[in-house]
């Protein structure tokens, strides 16, 4: 019996040791002449995950001195160069890896994306080809919840609203096609039941019926997120708040002023007006967003300004565009309803859906084909193969990253297109760092961008996959911590001799921003002229912030601006909190100021670390080419302090910037015997038919 027991224990130990060994074996074979090179590599990885990039670069260079042909060292070296914004050297290292014969698909993908994002396009034929990618989602839940989509709208977070004609509902889906919410009810009708028992039951349960949407043809959202749906069959419009809770009805059935007959399309502009294509009455009706009748124009006919079944409608700051379906044209009006132009095309069949592109031009869903109309140049472009892939397009919506979504009414699909020059097969994935303070829980910061380096937003945990040491595939979740929803700002304040005469204005702007801070918002103050002055650490007490901000020297020039930027970025690292730089400037600058770090590299340094740079112009100059470019690259704001500002809105705009950064986590396997060893990570992001992958790793703490 003892022998059997010993045999069982021995067998268990062998199996357990084998499993641990298979998990713990280092996938990177150290092909170096000295052990010191390997130690420097591991030291560099450690520094990288502490966001001490200059130290990481020094260690990787030391390691490369011994092993100049080692792909793995060069890859980590390029990652560190990328993070400090030295893009030219990072690209050169990726190219070196390729030249050494390592046909690594991740490296090739990074090189291709960099050149695609920085190539100067020939703008003459920019919109010559729109490419069909695929339908929005093959998610069974999505397909089950879509019947006859008649209108689509894509939000900036990547979620989509789909108006389903036959199911009589507005539905919101996440980027993977999962249903978030469904709106189908309107006003509660407090009609009493007949009979004593039915009345008693209704009194107890408060079970009153609702008005319901019936064959809706259009919807719109206003600037604060309220939703308006054309309840076409009932000749009214339902208004909801951003959560889909019913607010009120707009309009009644009829042919008089303020009455509707089969309303089709809706558009809420930025000035509190709601425009309605009143199809049955062959006119456009204008309400305010609270339902008050304001105006109407148009009547049945074929002449300019007349309609035959008006459909889609969109409005910009100057004009109203209406799809005049029966007359096969688009009509253009001023904001008072005066006819300006009829836009025709011999290929038009039944123009229905209208929407604006990012450039302000028109997408036209024509029932069989889809057109892009350049308003200024009066030029049409047909979507290639739109008739082949999308049989009955009724609406178009351009989403984040310029991806274009079409409703295919009869097939029940949402089809996805893109411009030829913006087509990408893979996503750009970068693993910023790993957090190991709760090991074996591993938290990784991962940035996801498209082919043109625009952030990809709205992903969920199911889009991320982790492979550790080449064989361990843990379940991935989104990491949540209070710090992820907290904000830090760095006040970068010009302190030159030129700024002295604007002292009062500078203090006023700093004070306005400071008193608009909320909750746990904290601020670090940095002054600069020909030197950089850091006043203390981050603080969230308004008076202490202002005390630090008001300590001026007012001397010298602004030659230390690039150093101040770099120091501000460096001091914002190593935190879960979202960080933004607010630069209060007076002087007009030129390229010579950026003598320590190129302004493009400076912008990349901030962007690659998810830090926006925002400009507050206080002097006579309300813009500057170099500062504007830095802000544009980092998605920051350009703020003219001479205008009346809502400072809370400005801060909220800065807070809402999304760099496409996600914090994922997984549980590793814990081994106390292998502290200090390297573990390799491959993190893949799968987004419909697009994917991206990144190599990374960490040292076991």
């Amino acid at each position: 019996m003892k022998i059997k027991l010993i045999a069982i224990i021995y067998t268990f130990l062998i199996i357990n040791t084998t499993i641990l060994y298979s998990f713990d074996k280092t996938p990177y074979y150290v092909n170096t002449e000295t052990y010191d090179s390997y130690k420097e590599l591991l030291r560099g990885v450690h520094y990288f995950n502490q966001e001490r990039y200059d130290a990481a670069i020094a260690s990787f260079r030391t390691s490369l001195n011994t092993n100049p042909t080692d792909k793995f060292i060069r890859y980590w070296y390029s990652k560190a160069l990328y993070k400090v914004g030295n893009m030219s050297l990072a690209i050169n290292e990726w190219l070196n890896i390729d030249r050494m014969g390592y046909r690594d698909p991740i490296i090739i993908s990074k090189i291709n994306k960099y050149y695609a994002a920085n190539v100067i396009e020939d703008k003459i034929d920019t919109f010559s080809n729109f490419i069909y990618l695929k339908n929005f989602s093959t998610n069974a839940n999505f397909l089950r919840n879509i019947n006859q989509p008649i209108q689509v709208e894509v939000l900036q977070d990547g979620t989509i609203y789909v108006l389903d004609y036959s199911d009589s509902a507005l539905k919101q889906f996440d980027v993977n096609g999962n249903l978030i919410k469904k709106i189908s009810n309107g006003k509660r009708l407090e009609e009493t039941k007949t009979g004593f028992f039915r009345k008693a039951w209704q009194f107890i349960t408060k079970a009153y019926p609702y008005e319901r949407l019936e064959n809706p043809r259009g919807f719109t959202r206003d600037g604060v997120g309220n939703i308006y749906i054309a309840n076409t069959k009932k000749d009214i419009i339902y208004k909801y708040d951003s959560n889909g809770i019913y607010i009120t009805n707009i309009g009644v059935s009829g042919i008089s002023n303020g009455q509707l007959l089969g309303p089709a399309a809706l558009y809420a502009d930025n000035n509190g007006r709601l425009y309605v294509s009143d199809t049955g009455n062959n006119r456009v009706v204008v309400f305010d967003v609270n339902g008050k009748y304001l105006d109407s124009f148009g009547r049945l006919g074929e002449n300019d300004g007349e309609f035959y079944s008006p459909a889609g409608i969109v409005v910009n700051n100057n004009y109203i565009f209406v799809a005049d379906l029966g007359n096969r044209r688009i009509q253009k009006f001023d904001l008072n309803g005066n006819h300006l132009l009829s836009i025709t095309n011999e290929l038009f069949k039944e123009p229905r859906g209208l929407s604006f592109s990012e450039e302000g031009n028109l997408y036209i869903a024509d029932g069989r084909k889809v057109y892009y109309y350049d308003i200024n140049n009066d030029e049409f472009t047909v979507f290639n193969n739109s008739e082949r892939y999308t049989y009955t397009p009724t609406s178009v919506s351009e989403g984040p990253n310029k991806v274009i979504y079409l409703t295919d009414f009869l097939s029940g699909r949402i089809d996805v297109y893109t411009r030829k020059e913006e087509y990408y097969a893979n996503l750009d994935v970068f693993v910023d760092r790993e957090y190991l303070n709760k090991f074996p829980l591993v938290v990784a910061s991962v940035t996801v961008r498209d082919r043109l380096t625009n952030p990809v937003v709205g992903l969920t945990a199911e889009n991320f996959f982790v492979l550790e040491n080449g064989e361990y595939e843990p379940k991935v979740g989104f990491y949540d911590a209070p710090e992820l929803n907290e904000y830090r700002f760095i006040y970068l304040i010009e302190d030159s001799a030129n700024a002295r005469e604007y002292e009062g204005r500078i203090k006023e702007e700093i004070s306005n921003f400071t008193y608009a801070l909320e909750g746990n918002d904290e601020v670090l103050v940095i002054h600069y002229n020909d030197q950089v002055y850091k006043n203390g650490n981050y603080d969230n007490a308004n008076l202490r912030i202002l005390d630090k901000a008001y300590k001026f020297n007012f001397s010298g020039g602004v030659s230390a601006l690039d150093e101040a930027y770099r120091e501000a970025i460096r001091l914002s690292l190593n935190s879960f909190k979202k960080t933004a730089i607010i630069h209060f400037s007076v002087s007009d600058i030129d390229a010579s100021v950026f003598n320590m770090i190129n302004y493009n590299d400076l912008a990349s340094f901030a962007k690659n670390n998810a830090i926006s740079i925002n400009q507050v112009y206080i002097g006579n100059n309300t813009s500057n080419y170099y500062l504007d470019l830095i802000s544009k690259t980092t998605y920051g704001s350009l703020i003219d302090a001479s205008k009346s500002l809502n400072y809370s809105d400005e801060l909220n705009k800065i807070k809402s910037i999304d760099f496409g950064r996600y914090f994922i986590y997984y549980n590793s396997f814990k081994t106390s015997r292998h502290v200090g060893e390297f573990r390799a990570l491959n993190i893949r992001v799968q987004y419909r038919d697009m994917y991206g992958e990144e190599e990374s790793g960490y040292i076991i703490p």
Side-chain angles (χ1 to χ4, degrees):
M1 183 67 183
K2 289 183 178 180
I3 294 174
K4 287 184 178 180
L5 181 60
I6 292 171
I8 291 171
I9 293 172
Y10 182 74
T11 303
F12 172 79
L13 289 173
I14 290 176
I15 293 172
N16 192 45
T17 303
T18 303
I19 292 172
L20 285 174
Y21 176 75
S22 67
F23 277 158
D24 284 339
K25 64 180 182 180
T26 304
Y28 169 62
Y29 174 69
V30 187
N31 184 21
T32 60
E33 296 178 4
T34 68
Y35 183 64
D36 288 340
S37 176
Y38 179 53
K39 286 197 299 184
E40 283 297 334
L41 170 62
L42 296 188
R43 186 177 289 116
V45 171
H46 178 69
Y47 288 147
F48 184 93
N49 280 323
Q50 289 185 325
E51 295 184 326
R52 297 170 59 188
Y53 301 125
D54 290 339
I57 288 171
S59 290
F60 294 141
R61 282 175 176 166
T62 301
S63 187
L64 278 173
N65 287 338
T66 305
N67 270 290
T69 61
D70 192 297
K71 169 218 169 184
F72 197 67
I73 303 172
R74 285 198 177 275
Y75 186 74
W76 275 96
Y77 181 40
S78 67
K79 282 167 65 75
L81 292 170
Y82 175 91
K83 290 294 285 184
V84 297
N86 201 327
M87 298 304 297
S88 57
L89 286 179
I91 287 294
N92 188 59
E93 286 305 316
W94 293 336
L95 290 170
N96 281 337
I97 294 170
D98 188 55
R99 293 186 193 107
M100 288 189 297
Y102 296 102
R103 304 300 295 170
D104 188 306
I106 296 176
I107 300 296
I108 295 171
S109 174
K110 288 183 180 296
I111 294 170
N112 290 339
K113 288 187 185 72
Y114 176 82
Y115 284 117
N118 290 278
V119 68
I120 299 175
E121 299 285 354
D122 182 0
K123 296 299 181 183
I124 296 175
D125 200 26
T126 298
F127 303 107
S128 63
N129 193 5
F130 292 82
I131 299 174
Y132 170 78
L133 294 178
K134 63 171 293 182
N135 57 32
F136 169 71
S137 176
T138 56
N139 183 325
N141 180 51
F142 177 77
L143 299 176
R144 187 167 54 249
N145 278 289
I146 288 294
N147 296 301
Q148 287 184 310
I150 195 168
Q151 186 181 343
V152 63
E153 182 180 345
V154 190
L155 277 60
Q156 285 303 306
D157 62 4
T159 64
I160 68 170
Y161 278 106
V162 181
L163 187 63
D164 196 327
Y165 176 80
S166 63
D167 197 29
S168 295
L170 179 66
K171 303 166 184 178
Q172 186 181 13
F173 300 88
D174 69 16
V175 295
N176 297 307
N178 298 307
L179 182 65
I180 298 173
K181 66 185 174 189
K182 176 179 177 179
I183 303 172
S184 58
N185 291 328
K187 181 180 180 181
R188 173 172 278 190
L189 302 173
E190 301 204 4
E191 297 174 351
T192 56
K193 298 286 186 179
T194 58
F196 174 78
F197 291 107
R198 289 184 178 181
K199 286 183 179 180
W201 177 251
Q202 187 177 56
F203 177 79
I204 295 170
T205 62
K206 304 296 183 185
Y208 296 101
Y210 289 88
E211 285 183 336
R212 290 188 58 81
L213 289 172
E214 294 187 52
N215 301 134
R217 293 190 180 181
F219 76 96
T220 188
R221 297 168 62 251
D222 64 23
V224 296
N226 291 323
I227 301 166
Y228 307 80
I229 306 177
N231 196 6
T232 307
K233 194 171 182 179
K234 290 291 186 178
D235 302 328
I236 54 177
I237 296 163
Y238 290 165
K239 178 179 179 179
Y240 304 83
D241 68 14
S242 58
N243 296 314
I245 298 173
Y246 170 82
I247 298 175
T248 189
N249 286 357
I250 295 176
V252 295
S253 181
I255 61 174
S256 300
N257 287 342
Q259 297 179 338
L260 303 170
L261 198 61
L266 310 174
Y267 195 91
D269 71 4
N270 295 323
N271 298 308
R273 291 188 291 262
L274 178 67
Y275 296 82
V276 184
S277 283
D278 189 6
T279 305
N281 287 319
N282 294 291
R283 64 187 178 187
V284 171
V285 180
V286 187
F287 299 91
D288 69 16
V289 291
N290 296 314
K292 179 183 177 182
Y293 170 74
L294 299 178
D295 194 12
S296 64
F297 59 88
R299 63 181 182 181
L300 178 63
E302 299 179 357
N303 297 321
D304 289 344
E306 298 177 340
F307 299 109
Y308 182 17
S309 296
I313 185 169
V314 290
V315 184
N316 60 24
N317 292 330
N318 301 303
Y319 306 112
I320 304 167
F321 297 87
V322 183
D324 189 3
L325 186 149
N327 290 320
R328 298 184 180 183
R329 64 187 177 184
I330 310 297
Q331 295 202 65
K332 179 180 178 180
F333 301 85
D334 66 18
L335 296 181
N336 294 316
N338 299 308
H339 180 268
L340 300 175
L341 178 68
S342 290
I343 303 165
T344 60
N345 187 303
E346 62 182 11
L347 297 177
F348 277 171
K349 297 293 184 183
E350 44 185 39
R352 293 177 177 272
L354 300 181
S355 64
F356 288 121
S357 70
E358 184 179 85
E359 297 82 7
N361 293 315
L362 280 179
Y363 291 114
I364 304 167
D366 189 49
R368 285 299 182 91
K369 289 180 180 291
V370 181
Y371 300 88
Y372 178 87
Y373 177 66
D374 187 325
I375 293 174
N376 293 326
N377 296 315
D378 190 28
E379 292 178 351
F380 283 95
T381 301
V382 181
F383 273 45
N384 282 12
N385 293 320
S386 59
E387 192 170 14
R388 174 183 173 188
Y389 291 109
T390 309
Y391 304 110
T392 50
T394 54
S395 80
V396 186
S397 178
E398 182 175 293
N401 315 314
K402 295 189 177 182
V403 178
I404 304 155
Y405 299 75
L406 277 61
T407 51
D408 194 354
F409 184 73
L410 292 182
S411 73
R413 293 197 318 266
I414 306 296
D415 290 330
V416 183
Y417 288 73
T418 186
R419 295 176 174 91
K420 180 179 180 180
E421 74 279 5
E422 290 170 12
Y423 173 75
Y424 54 90
N426 295 310
L427 301 173
D428 186 23
V429 178
F430 194 92
V431 181
D432 304 296
R433 64 166 292 184
E434 284 84 24
Y435 299 85
L436 306 169
N437 57 316
K438 295 183 180 179
F439 189 82
L441 182 76
V442 178
V443 178
S445 169
V446 185
T447 299
V448 185
R449 296 176 182 161
D450 67 16
R451 173 181 170 272
L452 296 180
T453 74
N454 298 310
V456 176
V457 301
L459 300 181
T460 65
E462 65 185 77
N463 297 110
F464 292 81
F465 304 87
V466 171
L467 184 67
E468 186 174 87
N469 272 18
E471 54 191 58
Y472 175 53
E473 296 188 53
K475 184 178 179 181
V476 177
F478 272 178
Y479 185 72
D480 189 21
E483 294 89 347
L484 292 174
N485 300 307
E486 294 177 359
Y487 300 88
R488 303 193 306 181
F489 298 95
I490 297 178
Y491 288 173
L492 195 61
I493 305 169
E494 181 180 338
D495 200 0
S496 67
N498 290 338
R500 182 183 297 278
E501 65 177 292
Y502 298 98
E503 179 179 1
R505 289 285 297 113
I506 296 172
K507 288 182 176 179
E508 180 183 0
E509 291 305 311
I510 293 172
S511 175
N512 288 335
F513 275 99
T514 301
Y515 284 111
L517 298 171
E518 297 179 342
N520 293 322
D521 293 350
E522 56 184 21
V523 174
L524 173 68
V525 176
I526 297 178
H527 289 80
Y528 73 92
N529 41 45
D530 292 324
Q531 299 181 61
V532 177
Y533 309 90
K534 181 174 79 74
N535 293 327
N537 296 312
Y538 286 96
D539 203 331
N540 61 2
N542 290 350
L543 292 179
R544 285 200 296 268
I545 293 169
L546 293 178
D547 181 56
K548 296 172 183 176
Y550 290 171
K551 291 180 179 178
F552 288 96
N553 293 292
F554 291 131
S555 62
V558 292
S559 61
L561 174 59
D562 58 348
E563 183 183 350
Y565 268 135
R566 186 180 177 89
E567 181 69 359
I569 298 168
R570 186 186 68 81
L571 292 172
S572 68
L573 302 177
N574 203 19
S575 172
F576 282 123
K577 295 183 180 181
K578 298 177 182 178
T579 306
I581 296 170
I582 302 179
H583 178 204
F584 300 89
S585 67
V586 171
S587 301
D588 195 25
I589 66 164
D590 57 32
S592 65
V593 170
F594 300 95
N595 53 19
M596 186 184 77
I597 179 171
N598 180 278
Y599 59 89
N600 285 317
D601 288 348
L602 184 63
S604 295
F605 184 22
K607 179 181 178 181
N608 293 342
N609 288 283
I611 300 160
S612 69
I613 298 179
N614 306 271
Q615 310 294 340
V616 180
Y617 293 110
I618 295 172
N620 294 327
N621 304 296
T622 58
S623 66
N624 178 275
Y625 172 79
Y626 303 101
L627 301 184
D628 289 359
L629 184 61
I630 290 171
S631 288
K632 180 180 178 182
T633 302
T634 61
Y635 317 123
S637 297
L638 306 175
I639 301 169
D640 181 358
S642 65
K643 296 181 178 179
S644 177
L645 300 173
N646 184 315
Y647 293 88
S648 293
D649 287 349
E650 296 297 334
L651 285 178
N652 287 333
K653 188 193 309 182
I654 294 171
K655 290 178 179 180
S656 67
I657 295 170
D658 194 331
F659 284 85
R661 174 173 282 189
Y662 300 85
F663 290 89
I664 65 172
Y665 77 90
Y666 69 92
N667 284 299
S668 183
F669 46 91
K670 188 173 183 178
T671 55
S672 58
R673 295 184 301 109
H674 293 84
V675 171
E677 280 192 0
F678 176 85
R679 278 194 182 159
L681 292 182
N682 278 64
I683 296 181
R684 168 175 285 203
V685 179
Q686 189 81 36
Y687 177 40
R688 297 202 290 273
D689 61 341
M690 295 168 282
Y691 72 92
E693 189 171 341
E694 167 79 330
E695 290 183 71
S696 188
Y698 63 90
I699 311 302
I700 299 173

